[in-house]
Amino acid sequence: EAGVTQSPRYAVLQEGQAVSFWCDPISGHDTLYWYQQPRDQGPQLLVYFRDEAVIDNSQLPSDRFSAVRPKGTNSTLKIQSAKQGDTATYLCASSPDRVEQYFGPGTRLTVL
Amino acid sequence: GDSVTQTEGLVTLTEGLPVMLNCTYQSTYSPFLFWYVQHLNEAPKLLLKSFTDNKRPEHQGFHATLHKSSSSFHLQKSSAQLSDSALYYCAANNNNAPRFGAGTKLSVKP
């Protein structure tokens, strides 16, 4: 069974640039999560979906971050105007039962 | 809201000694508790999950017991190995938004 895949694996930006991260969850998993993991910290939930619906985006900085999952499968997380404080690894995870999560390899973002 | 506390940021051990990493949680409900392990430059991987029937989960020599009375789910292993060096995260999920602790870095030395 294929795991959660993410792309790109690495991104380096200047402040003010935009970037998109893509996630392909495990087939059949209806729940998909996006986390931000700053260096030396634990994963912090940004947003999660059940199928195509956003269930909780209360921790997503709405002025610059957006996330979609239009067909209830793949998902895209976008940062409109990146700041140095956005430097982190962005993890995608999927779940078949909204309890156990399977993580992708992450995208390591550096904003200069 | 729910929260997870891991009190130790760094635990340094000599190979062969027992491991215990602390985890306590606060939740309105009775969440599932998890331990994830994250090796350098890798994604977190599930290590253990609590059972609803009070069984003690075990994996790769690690075990953890959910104590609802003290809201704890400490991770233990009888004998540390060099390959156990990694970040360990405790997480709680009550079928809603999962919460992770800050993590404990375990460093096992020869």
Side-chain angles (χ1 to χ4, degrees), chain A residues 4-96:
Chain A
V4 177
T5 55
Q6 291 185 245
S7 65
R9 294 294 312 276
Y10 302 91
V12 180
L13 305 174
Q14 298 289 334
E15 273 200 320
Q17 288 187 306
V19 63
S20 291
F21 309 132
W22 181 83
C23 173
D24 188 3
I26 293 173
S27 178
H29 285 195
D30 63 352
T31 308
L32 184 147
Y33 308 83
W34 283 103
Y35 291 89
Q36 182 190 62
Q37 186 177 26
R39 187 178 176 81
D40 296 330
Q41 295 184 34
Q44 297 160 12
L45 183 69
L46 291 172
V47 59
Y48 82 100
F49 298 86
R50 194 163 301 151
D51 298 318
E52 68 277 5
V54 173
I55 303 301
D56 185 348
N57 63 357
S58 59
Q59 302 305 309
L60 195 68
S62 58
D63 57 334
R64 297 184 301 108
F65 285 63
S66 63
V68 294
R69 193 185 184 200
K71 297 183 179 179
T73 52
N74 302 336
S75 177
T76 303
L77 175 69
K78 184 174 182 178
I79 306 176
Q80 285 281 32
S81 179
K83 298 181 178 180
Q84 287 188 350
D86 299 332
T87 293
T89 296
Y90 290 83
L91 294 166
C92 178
S94 69
S95 174

Side-chain angles (χ1 to χ4, degrees), chain A residues 35 37 41-42 48 98 104 108, chain B residues 38 41 43 89 93 95-96 98:
Chain A
Y35 291 89
Q37 186 177 26
Q41 295 184 34
Y48 82 100
R98 298 184 290 283
R108 186 177 294 183
Chain B
Q38 187 174 28
N41 296 324
Y89 292 102
N93 194 342
N95 201 26
N96 199 343

